[in-house]
Amino acid sequence: MMLQNQNHQQLITDLKELVDKTKYQVAAQVNSAMVVLYWKIGQRINEDILGNKRAEYGKEIIFQISQQLTLEFGNSFSEKNIRKMIQFASVFDDFEIVTSAMRQLS
């Protein structure tokens, strides 16, 4: 009976480790996907709306984008966060740099 109990405990321990490892992998994948999403949003706004320049009318457009995305998807798309996404895409204007950095951080 003692051996069976030890086997049971080892099974539980192994399963817990499997669950924890998988949760970590899922979190890392979600974080990577969010980085890509935020970069793509910033890049798209830079290219399509701002023309890669600081335009005065861009402030109003960013506000409107923020309002619409926040209503549908939540506070992650506040005006402040949208501006950070734009800045992120401006600083790292080559997507290969972003993916390379993500691989090193993972």
Side-chain angles (χ1 to χ4, degrees):
M1 191 62 126
M2 184 65 123
L3 183 60
Q4 188 176 14
N5 192 26
Q6 288 175 338
N7 287 341
H8 178 76
Q9 282 304 109
Q10 186 60 50
L11 174 63
I12 296 298
T13 299
D14 292 348
L15 294 176
K16 286 180 178 180
E17 288 176 9
L18 181 62
V19 170
D20 285 340
K21 181 179 178 184
T22 302
K23 285 170 68 174
Y24 174 79
Q25 290 171 338
V26 168
Q29 290 173 347
V30 168
N31 287 339
S32 292
M34 295 306 291
V35 168
V36 170
L37 172 64
Y38 294 157
W39 184 88
K40 286 182 176 181
I41 288 172
Q43 183 68 16
R44 182 71 189 263
I45 292 170
N46 276 336
E47 287 181 355
D48 289 6
I49 296 172
L50 302 180
N52 289 314
K53 299 175 186 165
R54 289 187 177 264
E56 190 60 38
Y57 68 88
K59 290 180 182 178
E60 181 60 30
I61 293 170
I62 291 169
F63 176 76
Q64 290 173 5
I65 290 169
S66 170
Q67 292 294 306
Q68 291 173 333
L69 292 178
T70 299
L71 278 174
E72 190 159 344
F73 300 110
N75 290 332
S76 294
F77 299 96
S78 67
E79 188 174 354
K80 179 181 176 183
N81 286 346
I82 295 286
R83 291 187 186 286
K84 287 180 180 180
M85 292 173 204
I86 293 168
Q87 183 180 21
F88 175 50
S90 295
V91 171
F92 299 98
D93 59 347
D94 183 353
F95 187 67
E96 289 300 317
I97 295 171
V98 174
T99 57
S100 176
M102 285 184 345
R103 279 191 296 268
Q104 291 177 5
L105 293 174
S106 294

